[in-house]
Amino acid sequence: MDRPEALAFDMYGTLVDPIRIWQQLEIYLGDSALRAAEIWRAKQLEYTFRLTAMQHYEDFEWVTRRSLDYALASLGYDLADEQRRTLVGAYDDLEPFAGVHESLHQLRSKAPTMAVLSNGSPRMLQAVARSARLGDVFDILISVDEVRTYKPSPLVYQHAAHRLGRPIAEVRLISSNPFDVIGAAAAGMQVVWLDRSAGLFDPLGPRPDLMVTSLAELAERL
Ligand code: LAC
């Protein structure tokens, strides 16, 4: 490789934690909060996959609201619109995983270009990057909204390479989401799986050559 790859980071589940939103859910749902957070996240991703299969696009804020509605209904809760708005609003303040700041700054000194590549809408990505104090480390925030289709459509990964001005093989996606890793690799990107799930990968695709359990480990290995 004559020049180092551009790095593209997934946002939700990789840099910030969408499950820790159970702490906001707890105010309304008590003991069901963690279960609700897990259903919310699983449905949110399912809706992105289904919209993509339907060749229809609604942005991630819409998807996040509808999947919250499903999670609440599935557990027998009916919250007021204002409370639902507050919960969806908490997506703008999701907490970064431990050590993310330090490691991103270390990676910054090695990578020529650092990007976010996420399902999040442009507004959501700007908000969460600002509140998690991650804005200054990235050259660019790339949203799937620019191609109006979700991961793991190859269009998303091809578009990211185009935005980064690189052949796709010179971009490396870093994601904790196996579906994202498998999708990016299938589209021709380099990949890293950031294992935040105790080794549980999807057998739908090959395990990537590069697997790490923290961004600090990635900063050492790259
Ligand atoms: C994202 C999804 C995968 O940030 O959570 O793109």
Side-chain angles (χ1 to χ4, degrees):
M1 185 82 46
D2 40 14
R3 58 178 176 162
E5 298 139 359
L7 302 183
F9 294 81
D10 171 56
M11 178 60 86
Y12 303 104
T14 297
L15 302 182
V16 297
D17 186 352
I19 299 299
R20 226 180 304 170
I21 209 163
W22 71 266
Q23 290 167 338
Q24 274 80 32
L25 285 159
E26 196 178 24
I27 301 164
Y28 309 113
L29 310 189
D31 288 348
S32 302
L34 182 58
R35 181 86 189 103
E38 287 167 353
I39 296 172
W40 185 4
R41 173 66 174 162
K43 271 286 156 181
Q44 179 194 50
L45 291 176
E46 182 191 320
Y47 289 174
T48 62
F49 303 150
R50 286 169 58 181
L51 285 167
T52 299
M54 290 158 66
Q55 300 188 334
H56 183 70
Y57 181 76
E58 299 285 351
D59 80 10
F60 203 57
E61 211 153 337
W62 187 99
V63 164
T64 301
R65 171 61 197 260
R66 295 313 184 279
S67 48
L68 171 63
D69 290 347
Y70 179 92
L72 294 173
S74 74
L75 294 170
Y77 288 93
D78 183 18
L79 298 187
D81 275 357
E82 185 54 36
Q83 294 169 330
R84 290 171 200 251
R85 260 197 298 279
T86 302
L87 288 167
V88 172
Y91 250 78
D92 290 348
D93 296 305
L94 290 176
E95 271 180 64
F97 288 96
V100 159
H101 281 110
E102 301 72 11
S103 307
L104 285 176
H105 279 99
Q106 276 176 299
L107 285 159
R108 169 83 270 187
S109 65
K110 299 186 176 184
T113 308
M114 298 261 286
V116 165
L117 174 59
S118 173
N119 279 343
S121 70
R123 194 209 60 74
M124 291 171 85
L125 292 181
Q126 274 158 23
V128 77
R130 191 180 318 118
S131 80
R133 294 181 300 109
L134 300 177
D136 59 337
V137 90
F138 294 110
D139 300 293
I140 182 170
L141 306 178
I142 305 171
S143 166
V144 302
D145 197 73
E146 295 168 19
V147 283
R148 295 177 64 80
T149 192
Y150 285 102
K151 298 173 177 178
S153 166
L155 293 179
V156 168
Y157 307 104
Q158 288 157 2
H159 175 71
H162 177 73
R163 292 276 271 134
L164 293 167
R166 298 273 191 140
I168 197 161
E170 288 183 14
V171 181
R172 187 179 287 278
L173 178 87
I174 296 99
S175 180
S176 67
N177 292 293
F179 84 87
D180 195 12
V181 170
I182 292 168
M189 261 187 193
Q190 306 296 314
V191 289
V192 179
W193 181 41
L194 172 53
D195 176 10
R196 296 201 190 279
S197 42
L200 184 63
F201 195 75
D202 285 322
L204 190 62
R207 278 177 179 256
D209 296 337
L210 192 49
M211 296 191 282
V212 294
T213 56
S214 67
L215 289 176
E217 185 187 344
L218 180 64
E220 275 170 30
R221 288 178 61 179
L222 270 193

